Amino acid sequence: MPNERLRDALLRNGLDLAHVARAAGVDPKTVERWITKNRTPYPKHRYAIASLVRESENYLWPDAAAPQRKAEAAESEVVKVYPHRHSIPAEVWDRLIGQAAERVEVLAHAALFLVERPTFIKDLAEKGRNGARIRLLFGDPASREVARRSDEEGLGKGTLGARIRNALAFYRPLVDVAGVDMRFHKTTLYNSMFRFDDEMIVNTHVYGCQGAHAPALHLRNLSAGDLFETYAESFESVWRLSNPATF
C-alpha cells in the first residue's frame, strides 16, 4: 500500500522526488519506494523529511517508532496542564496567536472568548491573506447536539445556540477572506481544540461543567510524539463531517 500521507505532504509543499532526495542524501528511486511501496526510511531520513514537510514522523510513518519511544515523547509533548481553561494566562494566548504563521485551527462550539482579544479577527484575516491556513469549526446552532450540550452544562435550553450565533457576528468579517474557511459541525464535542502551528490548547469537556471551568492541556508537537497527533487527527475527522457555516 502506498504511503499516501507522505505523497500528500510532498504535493502540498511542492516537492518532487529529486528535491527530497537531495534533502535526505539518497537516490530519487529510494524516495519513490518510500512512497509507492511504503518503505520506512532510516531515522535520520525520517527526521529530515518530517522537517522538510513540517509534519511529525509519527504522522508520516505511524508504525516506525517503538511504543515506548512514543510514550516517552508524549510526556514531553505536554507543556503545561491547567486546572481550568480560564486560568491560562492572557500572554500565552497572545503569543500563540501572534506567532502562528502557517496554521490556525479551532474546534469549539462558540469560541466566543477568543474575540475578547481586540485584534483577534484582524489577526486571523491578515494571517489568511499572508498564506496561513485558517480553519474554524463551530457547533451548528440549530443542531440537537448543541441543544443537548446547553442542557448538560446547565445553561438552559437554547442558550448555547444563541451564544454561537453571537460569536458568528464577530467572525462574519472573515467570510470570503483568502485562506479562511469556517464550518459547522454536529459532533458530540469531547474536547475543544485551538491549534497554532505546532502548539495546541486542548480544552477537555466535563459533564455538568462549562468549558471555561474545565481543564486544559497545552501541547507542543514533537516529531516522534503521538499525543499531539491524536488530537490533530480528531480535528481532521470532524472537519470531514462538517458543512460550510451559514451567517
Side-chain angles (χ1 to χ4, degrees):
M1 179 182 294
N3 188 331
E4 297 297 346
R5 290 186 175 186
L6 178 57
R7 190 200 304 274
D8 178 70
L10 298 183
L11 289 174
R12 279 189 285 105
N13 288 277
L15 302 173
D16 57 22
L17 298 182
H19 193 143
V20 179
R22 287 194 297 271
V26 298
D27 186 89
K29 287 291 185 182
T30 300
V31 179
E32 186 177 11
R33 286 192 289 271
W34 291 342
I35 299 171
T36 60
K37 298 184 182 299
N38 201 11
R39 299 279 177 83
T40 302
Y42 290 121
K44 66 177 182 179
H45 297 146
R46 295 201 302 267
Y47 179 79
I49 296 171
S51 298
L52 189 66
V53 300
R54 297 183 293 277
E55 294 285 0
S56 69
E57 289 181 50
N58 187 58
Y59 171 77
L60 297 172
W61 301 280
D63 300 323
Q68 182 177 353
R69 185 187 176 203
K70 286 184 180 181
E72 292 172 350
E75 291 182 14
S76 299
E77 286 185 295
V78 179
V79 177
K80 191 173 180 63
V81 177
Y82 294 93
H84 314 287
R85 191 195 71 207
H86 66 68
S87 62
I88 300 175
E91 54 266 28
V92 172
W93 289 109
D94 289 344
R95 181 185 65 79
L96 293 173
I97 296 167
Q99 292 182 358
E102 297 176 357
R103 181 182 309 192
V104 175
E105 295 173 344
V106 172
L107 168 59
H109 279 127
L112 189 57
F113 75 96
L114 288 175
V115 298
E116 294 174 358
R117 185 178 185 271
T119 63
F120 180 66
I121 300 300
K122 291 182 180 179
D123 288 345
L124 290 187
E126 181 179 1
K127 291 176 189 296
R129 296 189 189 101
N130 289 335
R133 188 181 188 189
I134 313 296
R135 296 193 291 175
L136 308 176
L137 276 167
F138 304 100
D140 186 336
S143 69
R144 289 179 297 178
E145 290 78 9
V146 165
R148 182 175 182 179
R149 179 54 64 87
S150 188
D151 287 339
E152 291 176 347
E153 290 188 359
L155 298 174
K157 185 177 181 179
T159 301
L160 182 55
R163 183 177 293 177
I164 294 171
R165 293 185 182 91
N166 186 24
L168 292 174
F170 290 95
Y171 286 93
R172 185 173 286 111
L174 296 175
V175 174
D176 297 328
V177 173
V180 179
D181 197 353
M182 294 181 283
R183 297 189 183 183
F184 282 160
H185 68 87
K186 296 182 180 181
T187 57
T188 300
L189 195 58
Y190 301 105
N191 303 279
S192 293
M193 304 178 205
F194 310 91
R195 179 174 181 174
F196 307 94
D197 289 346
D198 286 332
E199 294 186 66
M200 182 189 299
I201 300 294
V202 177
N203 184 189
T204 66
H205 289 297
V206 179
Y207 186 89
C209 179
Q210 296 183 35
H213 304 294
L217 306 175
H218 181 182
L219 307 178
R220 179 175 286 119
N221 192 20
L222 297 181
S223 186
D226 202 25
L227 183 58
F228 187 100
E229 192 58 41
T230 296
Y231 287 108
E233 290 186 1
S234 177
F235 179 94
E236 295 296 339
S237 296
V238 178
W239 186 260
R240 287 192 293 268
L241 295 171
S242 63
N243 296 298
T246 54
F247 289 80

